[in-house]
Amino acid sequence: MKTNIISVKNDGTGIAEAVNEAERYAVYQEMEHKNALRLRLLAEEMMGLVKILVGDFSGSFWVEGGKNDASLVLEADCTVDFDRRDELLKISSSGKNEAHKGFMGKLAGIFEYCLMSYDASSKYSGYYADYMYDDVMTYGYDKMWSLAALRDGLSGAPESSAAREEWDELEKSIVASLADEVIVGVKFHKVSLVIKKTF
């Protein structure tokens, strides 16, 4: 099943409707109450990410899957102007997007850079971006980032304060704790953020 597609913007347009669509999906699939709450929570967190994206962002949101699994999808065209983003960041005193803290903030940063262009994603400097890789075979993306790859990388990383900090961020994140997988994928000038959950 696939829900209606909801147009969302970072000015708040469509945000409530997107969360409501996730709730309708749970009702239609006759999900248990606790699973319906988890799905709503994941939708709320995804819409929170939309709100912190820089510039005039607009994308499409939907949920697809079945009763025991669901994928929340946010898709947008690669139309963000890299120079325009730099101009916006210069407004802040640090020259960085202060919203890019914690797991969801860093995920928003990766999503933004992928929106700028296929090549621009490599310009994102940060530990999370180390898990951006080519994966045409598994998911069909030209380039993608994966929470599972991040988890694997951190579990095999040498013990350090940076690695401990990254683990702490994952443990504190609702999405990283609830989701089975989170993917940012680029294909044909479109960027998708997908949160996967099996109940």
Side-chain angles (χ1 to χ4, degrees):
M1 175 196 171
K2 181 176 178 179
T3 66
N4 294 324
I5 297 173
I6 308 297
S7 178
V8 295
K9 297 183 179 181
N10 59 351
D11 66 0
T13 302
I15 299 294
E17 291 85 349
V19 174
N20 289 339
E21 195 66 20
E23 285 188 327
R24 280 193 287 272
Y25 176 90
V27 170
Y28 185 84
Q29 295 293 344
E30 298 178 344
M31 287 185 172
E32 293 179 14
H33 181 66
K34 66 178 181 179
N35 292 338
L37 287 176
R38 288 172 180 158
L39 187 67
R40 178 188 168 88
L41 194 53
L42 289 170
E44 288 175 344
E45 289 290 309
M46 182 179 266
M47 291 304 102
L49 180 145
V50 168
K51 290 179 183 177
I52 65 173
L53 295 173
V54 171
D56 299 321
F57 171 80
S58 63
S60 300
F61 169 86
W62 68 89
V63 184
E64 59 188 29
K67 180 177 181 177
N68 298 316
D69 66 290
S71 294
L72 294 90
V73 183
L74 176 65
E75 185 178 84
D77 293 324
C78 300
T79 56
V80 177
D81 182 351
F82 194 83
D83 293 330
R84 171 63 178 147
R85 183 181 184 279
D86 284 347
E87 288 175 14
L88 290 168
L89 293 183
K90 286 177 185 175
I91 295 171
S92 75
S93 59
S94 66
K96 297 178 181 178
N97 186 344
E98 297 302 328
H100 290 178
K101 294 179 180 177
F103 172 72
M104 291 303 284
K106 290 178 180 177
L107 186 60
I110 291 170
F111 189 74
E112 282 179 351
Y113 272 86
C114 288
L115 283 171
M116 290 170 207
S117 77
Y118 176 89
D119 294 327
S121 61
S122 64
K123 296 180 182 178
Y124 182 71
S125 59
Y127 192 82
Y128 282 17
D130 293 342
Y131 298 96
M132 202 80 181
Y133 56 95
D134 300 329
D135 192 4
V136 176
M137 296 301 292
T138 306
Y139 292 102
Y141 293 114
D142 297 327
K143 197 167 187 69
M144 66 174 279
W145 176 93
S146 162
L147 173 60
L150 173 63
R151 285 175 174 153
D152 289 346
L154 287 175
S155 66
E159 184 67 19
S160 67
S161 59
R164 283 195 301 273
E165 185 177 327
E166 300 296 345
W167 267 119
D168 287 345
E169 286 183 355
L170 290 183
E171 289 175 353
K172 291 174 184 175
S173 167
I174 292 170
V175 170
S177 297
L178 285 181
D180 295 306
E181 175 66 295
V182 179
I183 294 168
V184 178
V186 183
K187 185 176 182 180
F188 299 133
H189 302 288
K190 286 190 178 293
V191 180
S192 299
L193 169 60
V194 184
I195 298 176
K196 295 177 175 285
K197 176 65 180 174
T198 300
F199 299 102

